[in-house]
Amino acid sequence: MTDQDTKSEKKVPGDVSLVSSPEDLLTLSSQEHGTYAYTIEDYFAKPKAKSFQLSPDGKYLSYQEKDALKKNHVYVKNLEDGKITQAIQEQEELIRGYGWANENRLIFVMDTGGDENYHIFATNVDGSDTKELTPFDGVQVQILQMLKEDKEHIIIGMNKTNKEVFEPYRINVNTGALQQLYVNDDIEHPIMDYIFDKNGELRGFTRLRNGVDIDLYYAKETDNYECLKELNWKDTFSIKSFSYRPEKKHEAYVVSNLTSDRSEIYLYDLKADKIIKKLFSDPLYDVSGLGLSRKRNFELDYFSFQGEKKVIVPISTYYKKLHTVISNRFPDQQYAIADKTDNEDRYLIFIQSDVLYGVYYVYDVEEDSFELLYNLMPQLQEEDMATMQPISFKSRDGITIYGYLTLPKNIKPSQKVPLIVNPHGGPQGIRDTWGFNPENQLFASRGYATLQINFRISGGYGRKFLESGFKQIGRKAMDDVEDGIQYVISKGWIDEEKIAIYGGSHGGYAVLRGLTKTPDLYCCGVDYVGVSNLFSFMKTIPPYWKPYLKIIKEIWYDEDVAEENKIMKEVSPVFQIDKIKKPLFVVQGANDPRVNIDESDQIVRALRAKGFETPYMVKYDEGHGFAKEENSIEMYKAMMGFLAKHLKKDF
């Protein structure tokens, strides 16, 4: 059944008359000519197998494996006898994630067509006794805490009582029986986050006050929650984990920026509300990652943070040895511990770099040996991939901005290549990172460079840098992108007559804003689930974002403030249509709960009224971004045809 057939049978979101026909999109895809070493499928077909996990006792290895119909089922392999069983069958809806609830039972998550109303299911390792644990329509379920100490339960959050707020429940993974743990019924001052310990005891929570202030409540005595700290939403004071040291119930590892611009890690006495000692910080980057060993009485193993690349700082003697062993085995690559047994006798190590998509190894501690488990993308050879270079430059107002540039492989010293600028989503608190990026590699293989800028408001560079982008979305944040473009042009790498802009979510908004703010800078743009109208965007946010609307307005703009209302019109692309000169391709998931399809409909309708031929792809089984393999591949084929048409021709 085609998308057009589906449209005629039932009411679907958006204006179906605007959507380009499959034939027109196929014609667009055909604009890319040439013979390349790798196809779009090579970069974007989902791996044959993925999501490897060890059962807590190490008896089983689970993973998802793709069949001929592109369904990604979950299999369980008995590591003692080698027997493989299909535990979870993926049908119409995608398995959005899965994991081990205990040694014999798996949980998995699905929504409907990308609507993000997640439901939790559970099944046994042999696929028996499959049960939907949260059969509630229109309710989003969040996993708040896995409970190693209670194998029959996990803790979840649901907006079951009121769609705007979430309440915590202990749920039985066998029966689905629910026990509500706290009531979130003060809608004017809703609870935002819940703080549980390893036993599932609710130790504290954060409550939103006046829409922008945050009060941290903590139980110094059982069930007696007192306001420990009055914070602003811009403050960071996050309890990462309790230390679980004997007789130190109120001792915790806390990430905070209350005494510094960058987030730092402290050992903190929550009962006395005082710092015991600062444990870790970095002069340039926010730090927040840490690892503990449950087996070794919650010994502190390491700190981690994202710098130019991922940085791991080992602390314990045990982890220093492990880190050295892994780093020596895989130099010049990044590793992550994807999983480990409760006994810490076997680890799943995930290896990646800017030219390696990802490979799993099993590390056996007793044998001190690595066994190759699975190469996710064996068809992509490292020697053929393009490298990702960290860059930095000064913005026009003197701020140091960081980012990454990926140039096509084997370009000549004097060669100038077309550029695709790819602003990230979010925008607040999100940042681009170093590592394998299939989009960058696809673009490089076709002769295009890719520029990713961590413009002001990006996360990881401290509070001042983050806040310097508030009320600057579409303005100084875009200036930073433009300054980055000028920087790479000044280095002699880029053909300044052939620059495209592409992005998703806020990045999609940045595409539209770029085509209206600096219409002569770009040859074309690709808007993927992007905002076009700040007024309608804020009126169509999902209900569980509504408590945070004041915060959203502090980050973006407040239409009730006359000066900001004027700015909103200036930076909303739909009101600046007459400034758009260059071709635009628009892509949207019909069920997107974050950026309503009307955002894309508005811009396409306005451009069509102006006489622009604006290709428009909509998928009616997708949400905020395409998750189904066939849809992603179709999108990239159309995108590459569009880019070939407008970047490779002479102007």
Side-chain angles (χ1 to χ4, degrees), residues 293-488:
S293 167
R294 177 173 173 266
K295 183 195 176 191
R296 288 175 275 111
N297 297 316
F298 299 93
E299 181 178 20
L300 178 62
D301 270 343
Y302 64 85
F303 299 115
S304 65
F305 66 95
Q306 190 68 50
E308 282 189 349
K309 300 179 181 180
K310 180 181 177 182
V311 178
I312 298 173
V313 181
I315 300 300
S316 68
T317 300
Y318 176 93
Y319 202 87
K320 285 178 180 177
K321 179 181 177 182
L322 181 64
H323 177 75
T324 299
V325 167
I326 299 171
S327 299
N328 288 345
R329 176 66 175 79
F330 304 102
D332 304 319
Q333 294 173 319
Q334 292 186 157
Y335 80 85
I337 294 178
D339 206 358
K340 62 182 178 181
T341 59
D342 285 351
N343 240 355
E344 295 185 358
D345 58 351
R346 190 175 292 172
Y347 289 82
L348 275 185
I349 309 295
F350 184 67
I351 302 298
Q352 190 189 57
S353 75
D354 57 340
V355 296
L356 177 65
Y357 186 92
V359 180
Y360 284 94
Y361 287 84
V362 177
Y363 176 62
D364 187 299
V365 175
E366 185 175 345
E367 299 288 335
D368 190 24
S369 64
F370 290 90
E371 177 188 354
L372 173 64
L373 177 62
Y374 200 80
N375 184 345
L376 293 176
M377 289 288 190
Q379 72 274 21
L380 300 178
Q381 300 301 307
E382 291 179 64
E383 60 269 21
D384 295 332
M385 299 297 108
T387 58
M388 189 177 190
Q389 307 170 28
I391 61 169
S392 65
F393 57 91
K394 289 288 186 181
S395 68
R396 64 191 69 178
D397 57 351
I399 295 177
T400 301
I401 306 291
Y402 298 88
Y404 300 91
L405 178 69
T406 303
L407 291 168
K409 193 173 177 65
N410 297 326
I411 64 171
K412 298 173 184 177
S414 61
Q415 184 180 359
K416 294 184 177 183
V417 298
L419 175 68
I420 298 173
V421 185
N422 183 205
H424 64 67
Q428 70 279 1
I430 307 298
R431 58 159 289 184
D432 283 315
T433 58
W434 186 88
F436 192 93
N437 186 311
E439 289 184 338
N440 293 8
Q441 296 297 342
L442 171 63
F443 298 155
S445 73
R446 270 52 175 176
Y448 309 135
T450 304
L451 177 64
Q452 298 165 282
I453 299 297
N454 287 326
F455 41 85
R456 69 191 74 195
I457 208 174
S458 299
Y461 298 94
R463 178 172 179 165
K464 182 179 179 182
F465 185 82
L466 176 74
E467 293 182 21
S468 70
F470 293 171
K471 308 288 191 185
Q472 294 298 332
I473 296 170
R475 301 199 291 164
K476 288 185 178 180
M478 284 302 298
D479 291 349
D480 294 341
V481 174
E482 295 155 16
D483 293 347
I485 294 171
Q486 296 307 317
Y487 170 77
V488 294

Side-chain angles (χ1 to χ4, degrees), residues 142-209:
Q142 305 169 340
I143 297 176
L144 300 182
Q145 186 93 354
M146 302 299 288
L147 296 175
K148 286 279 189 183
E149 315 304 322
D150 179 356
K151 298 181 180 181
E152 303 299 311
H153 297 89
I154 62 174
I155 296 175
I156 63 172
M158 289 193 291
N159 59 342
K160 183 169 173 281
T161 304
N162 185 313
K163 296 297 183 289
E164 295 187 13
V165 297
F166 291 82
E167 296 177 309
Y169 298 80
R170 188 187 303 266
I171 188 168
N172 188 294
V173 297
N174 299 303
T175 67
L178 288 168
Q179 176 194 1
Q180 188 166 346
L181 300 177
Y182 207 76
V183 176
N184 191 2
D185 57 359
D186 186 350
I187 305 305
E188 295 300 315
H189 306 98
I191 295 173
M192 303 167 62
D193 295 298
Y194 298 91
I195 303 161
F196 291 93
D197 63 18
K198 64 184 178 66
N199 299 311
E201 180 184 347
L202 180 62
R203 302 285 296 278
F205 50 82
T206 57
R207 190 183 287 281
L208 190 63
R209 175 170 44 84

Side-chain angles (χ1 to χ4, degrees), residues 33 84 100 120 141 148 231 237 250 391-392 406 427 508 577 580 627:
H33 307 289
I84 297 174
W100 288 90
I120 298 179
V141 182
K148 286 279 189 183
L231 308 166
F237 187 88
H250 302 285
I391 61 169
S392 65
T406 303
I577 288 294
I580 295 181

Side-chain angles (χ1 to χ4, degrees), residues 84-137:
I84 297 174
T85 304
Q86 186 185 93
I88 306 169
Q89 184 179 34
E90 185 175 82
Q91 299 181 10
E92 183 62 26
E93 298 298 341
L94 299 180
I95 297 169
R96 299 282 176 172
Y98 86 94
W100 288 90
N102 54 47
E103 287 85 351
N104 299 298
R105 197 149 172 84
L106 295 157
I107 57 172
F108 58 103
V109 176
M110 296 192 298
D111 68 354
T112 303
D115 66 2
E116 299 185 11
N117 285 327
Y118 301 112
H119 290 214
I120 298 179
F121 301 75
T123 191
N124 290 335
V125 292
D126 61 0
S128 64
D129 193 23
T130 300
K131 185 177 182 64
E132 180 174 0
L133 301 179
T134 58
F136 310 114
D137 291 339

